[in-house]
Amino acid sequence: MGASLSSQTEGANRTGMGPGLGDIPEGCLACVFMNLTPPEICNLARLNRAFKAAASSDSIWVKKLPTNYQDLLNLLPPERYQNMSKKDIFALLSRPVPFDDGYKEVWLDRVTGRVCMAISAKGMAITGIDDRRYWNRVSTEESRFHIVAYLLQIWWFEVDGVVKFPLPADVYTLSFRIHLGRFSKRLGRRVSSFEHTHGWDIKPVRFELSTTDGQLASCECYLDDMEQDNENRNHKRGCWIEYKVGEFIVSNSETVTEVRFSMKQIDCTHSKGGLCVDSVFIIPTDLIDCKRRGILK
């Protein structure tokens, strides 16, 4: 059976069984590949030489790239992408591309080619961040930026950020990734300490976002209600949770989109602490929904 399949993929076999997959015209293969995802194209490229040649065509991969992929390339040194095929450019941009001193990253989703973005805590303005009485920087492999901001205790809690980028037309969701408690490894196991965790059950944290074209979104949330978080299927303490701030729409891919965002709890009647701030994510909304439903990995 294996020998028969192999002969069919390479073309007509010696027993005169007729044409095989290798005899399909490259133009026909290209039409099929246009409707497949990048991982599917790469898998089919392994079948035979004809499939591999069709799967490397620039005409296919330019359709998988966002319309403004050159803006992403401009963040890299020209020698990194000069003379690259469109397939190799897609692979390059599927890995994080840092910008703004490495505190922000942009990349393409490997399945859909949609643009995603992350902003490190070091790329945000955090009240009191340079005072070791209030905040510490903690190195960790649990962050894509390998460092998070850990709050010991403060009365005025405020985190602000802004990003300016020519995002492709799409609907995006902005969310904060935070963690109640400080985590570490002990005897190879992950453990969390809640020694400094307090104050987040008294008043809610307010999340906000705004864009230069007047779009606004906001919400409030108690970070430490100690109840089951049904959406994330875990308790809030000791887990990384992405708090959705809201959505915004980009309708013009040719202009720079400016998004401002914040999370704050500035009621100074009580102190709060024991919180890790990792990053902010900007992801196409339906891409998040698909991944939550297990349609995309």
Side-chain angles (χ1 to χ4, degrees):
M1 180 176 178
S4 175
L5 179 59
S6 175
S7 64
Q8 291 177 35
T9 59
E10 289 299 337
N13 59 56
R14 296 178 181 178
T15 59
M17 292 178 62
L21 294 177
D23 298 307
I24 300 176
E26 187 174 320
C28 293
L29 291 175
C31 290
V32 173
F33 288 168
M34 288 287 189
N35 298 293
L36 300 179
T37 66
E40 291 170 338
I41 294 172
C42 293
N43 285 334
L44 286 177
R46 302 172 184 173
L47 282 176
N48 56 45
R49 288 186 294 272
F51 277 57
K52 182 177 181 180
S56 300
S57 172
D58 278 357
S59 63
I60 292 174
W61 287 96
V62 74
K63 298 294 185 180
K64 306 302 177 183
L65 289 164
T67 54
N68 68 331
Y69 73 91
Q70 187 61 49
D71 292 317
L72 279 69
L73 288 177
N74 290 341
L75 300 173
L76 297 167
E79 58 271 18
R80 287 280 305 277
Y81 57 85
Q82 282 180 344
N83 302 319
M84 269 191 172
S85 67
K86 294 297 188 290
K87 177 183 178 182
D88 290 337
I89 287 176
F90 186 96
L92 175 66
L93 297 181
S94 294
R95 297 186 289 271
V97 178
F99 65 104
D100 283 2
D101 299 322
Y103 298 153
K104 300 170 185 175
E105 292 180 346
V106 63
W107 68 95
L108 301 184
D109 178 72
R110 293 177 183 271
V111 177
T112 65
R114 312 271 284 284
V115 172
C116 305
M117 187 177 295
I119 300 96
S120 166
K122 293 190 73 174
M124 305 180 218
I126 302 177
T127 300
I129 188 63
D130 296 321
D131 193 325
R132 294 293 297 273
R133 294 174 300 173
Y134 305 130
W135 290 89
N136 290 157
R137 300 285 191 184
V138 179
S139 299
T140 174
E141 293 301 313
E142 295 190 14
S143 168
R144 67 185 300 118
F145 295 98
H146 305 294
I147 192 167
V148 298
Y150 177 68
L151 174 64
L152 296 168
Q153 176 174 294
I154 206 165
W155 293 81
W156 183 288
F157 173 80
E158 185 169 6
V159 179
D160 296 283
V162 60
V163 63
K164 301 177 182 179
F165 198 81
L167 290 166
D170 213 328
V171 180
Y172 295 89
T173 289
L174 185 146
S175 58
F176 274 85
R177 185 174 187 257
I178 58 180
H179 182 287
L180 273 181
R182 182 165 182 168
F183 51 87
S184 60
K185 281 193 174 181
R186 187 178 303 162
L187 299 177
R189 298 181 60 185
R190 185 185 191 274
V191 295
S192 296
S193 169
F194 307 107
E195 175 187 0
H196 304 112
T197 304
H198 68 284
W200 305 109
D201 57 339
I202 299 175
K203 293 288 181 66
V205 168
R206 183 169 181 81
F207 298 92
E208 296 180 337
L209 76 81
S210 64
T211 64
T212 46
D213 61 357
Q215 298 180 71
L216 301 170
S218 64
C219 64
E220 292 188 344
C221 183
Y222 287 90
L223 302 187
D224 194 21
D225 55 19
M226 293 301 291
E227 294 180 357
Q228 188 78 8
D229 182 1
N230 294 324
E231 182 177 357
N232 296 282
R233 299 180 182 177
N234 52 39
H235 291 288
K236 291 184 176 180
R237 283 197 172 197
C239 300
W240 286 109
I241 296 180
E242 292 184 13
Y243 285 88
K244 177 180 176 181
V245 180
E247 300 176 358
F248 63 94
I249 300 172
V250 176
S251 55
N252 188 346
S253 303
E254 298 181 359
T255 60
V256 172
T257 298
E258 179 177 322
V259 185
R260 295 185 177 274
F261 48 88
S262 66
M263 63 177 295
K264 60 185 70 174
Q265 215 297 356
I266 56 177
D267 185 335
C268 293
T269 60
H270 67 283
S271 65
K272 36 264 176 186
L275 176 76
C276 290
V277 179
D278 174 29
S279 53
V280 161
F281 285 93
I282 298 176
I283 308 289
T285 299
D286 61 352
L287 189 61
I288 296 175
D289 295 338
C290 288
K291 289 187 176 183
R292 284 178 175 171
R293 296 197 303 268
I295 298 174
L296 296 177
K297 301 299 183 184

